[in-house]
């Protein structure tokens, strides 16, 4: 069999394929983030959302995904983010950040793509270990998931975007009100 190009290498095949001499990777700008519902139905305060975000050790992401992924320190991926922003945005888990004053149990929704499961299981483990929060993962089929985000978004969910071109606008435009 011959294959010239594949957009999403199956997660479990990465280690095997990367050992092949013909295997090459190319830079792509894909960003995932944990999103929080921020309307009148929101149950988490700004402090709680920041605590959840800062309690994740993003340096572990490349080991989890078994590839050449590079963690982002903001909404823009490395290469599109200003270097100064990367330095300002790095946080360490310390006693001040890791004090949790929120619910003891939370649910996080995500869509069924093979690479998302290990990341969400890592998130579940990190929040349990660092904050003592029990996390229920809600894995959904893609069409159902995106429909739910439009009609009644969960409190916490996985989202992201893939840039069509290497420019910050390709990510930042996702946050425009239209």
């Amino acid at each position: 069999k011959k294959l010239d190009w594949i957009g999403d290498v199956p997660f479990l095949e990465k280690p095997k394929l990367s050992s092949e001499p013909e295997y090459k990777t190319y830079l792509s700008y894909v960003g995932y983030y944990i999103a929080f519902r921020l309307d009148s139905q929101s149950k988490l305060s700004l402090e709680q959302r920041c605590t959840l975000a800062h309690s994740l050790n993003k340096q572990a992401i490349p080991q989890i995904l078994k590839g050449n992924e590079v963690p982002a320190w903001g909404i823009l991926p490395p290469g599109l983010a200003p270097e100064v922003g990367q330095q300002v945005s790095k946080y360490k888990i310390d006693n001040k950040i890791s004090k949790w004053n929120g619910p003891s149990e939370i649910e996080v929704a995500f869509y069924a793509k093979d690479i998302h499961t290990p990341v969400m299981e890592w998130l579940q483990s990190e929040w349990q270990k660092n904050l003592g929060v029990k996390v229920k993962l809600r894995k959904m089929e893609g069409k159902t998931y995106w429909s739910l985000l439009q009609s009644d978004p969960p409190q916490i969910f996985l989202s992201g975007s893939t840039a069509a071109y290497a420019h910050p606008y390709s990510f930042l435009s996702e946050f425009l009100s239209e």
Side-chain angles (χ1 to χ4, degrees):
K1 292 182 183 183
K2 289 191 175 216
L3 179 66
D4 290 326
W5 180 88
I6 185 169
D8 281 331
V9 174
F11 172 71
L12 295 174
E13 296 296 319
K14 276 185 181 182
K16 178 183 164 195
L17 290 173
S18 64
S19 68
E20 296 292 327
E22 300 86 13
Y23 182 79
K24 306 255 186 285
T25 59
Y26 297 92
L27 182 63
S28 65
Y29 292 105
V30 179
Y32 290 104
Y33 54 90
I34 301 302
F36 299 95
R37 185 172 180 159
L38 296 177
D39 60 10
S40 61
Q41 306 269 330
S42 179
K43 296 177 183 169
L44 295 170
S45 69
L46 173 61
E47 179 185 349
Q48 291 165 341
R49 295 188 308 267
C50 288
T51 300
L52 288 168
H54 298 318
S55 69
L56 298 172
N57 176 12
K58 294 179 185 180
Q59 297 292 2
I61 291 172
Q63 292 90 28
I64 294 163
L65 298 179
K66 302 178 185 345
N68 296 323
E69 295 81 10
V70 178
W73 299 104
I75 199 63
L76 295 175
L80 295 182
E83 293 298 318
V84 171
Q86 289 182 5
Q87 297 305 315
V88 171
S89 299
K90 290 183 181 178
Y91 290 91
K92 290 183 178 178
I93 299 169
D94 62 26
N95 291 335
K96 183 179 178 195
I97 291 174
S98 64
K99 289 192 176 158
W100 179 246
N101 65 352
S104 60
E105 217 173 288
I106 56 178
E107 181 178 87
V108 182
F110 68 105
Y111 57 101
K113 187 173 179 181
D114 68 340
I115 200 165
H116 295 163
T117 300
V119 171
M120 299 310 288
E121 289 172 349
W122 162 79
L123 177 138
Q124 181 182 47
S125 170
E126 286 281 291
W127 285 350
Q128 175 67 49
K129 176 180 70 179
N130 296 330
L131 304 173
V133 177
K134 183 178 178 190
V135 179
K136 177 184 176 196
L137 297 177
R138 184 174 169 200
K139 185 176 184 178
M140 304 172 72
E141 185 273 329
K143 286 183 183 181
T144 305
Y145 178 81
W146 293 112
S147 177
L148 178 67
L149 289 188
Q150 293 296 316
S151 62
D152 187 25
Q155 290 295 309
I156 306 172
F157 55 96
L158 177 69
S159 194
S161 59
T162 301
Y165 51 91
H167 191 278
Y169 184 79
S170 58
F171 284 93
L172 298 174
S173 64
E174 183 171 331
F175 299 98
L176 295 174
S177 62
E178 70 239 21

